Amino acid sequence: MKPLTPKEQKVVDEFEKARPGLGAIAESNIRNNDKTGWAEIIADTPESELVAGEGFASNTFMYKRIGG
């Protein structure tokens, strides 16, 4: 198994810092580049942008409330 590039390792470390356990998932996605494209995306991304951030996603679905 080839070693990760410094940028790839940074991505793994950032995911692990964001939530323990995510680093292993990120590494798996990098190593399965033929299916995920992660290694190519990382290679094309400036290193300064390879940082984990916090945010939230809003649910855009609207539904009727059931009951009174």
Side-chain angles (χ1 to χ4, degrees):
M1 185 173 357
K2 81 172 189 68
L4 298 176
T5 68
K7 284 172 73 175
E8 291 169 345
Q9 186 61 55
K10 181 176 180 180
V11 169
V12 170
D13 293 344
E14 288 291 323
F15 271 96
E16 191 63 24
K17 278 194 308 189
R19 176 173 282 172
L22 287 183
I25 295 169
E27 182 174 351
S28 176
N29 282 326
I30 291 166
R31 295 197 183 280
N32 289 311
N33 184 59
D34 57 327
K35 295 182 182 82
T36 66
W38 273 45
E40 291 158 5
I41 293 166
I42 292 167
D44 291 342
T45 303
E47 190 164 352
S48 62
E49 294 180 18
L50 296 176
V51 285
E54 292 186 19
F56 67 94
S58 62
N59 184 345
T60 58
F61 294 101
M62 300 296 291
Y63 54 90
K64 290 184 178 179
R65 185 172 155 203
I66 299 173

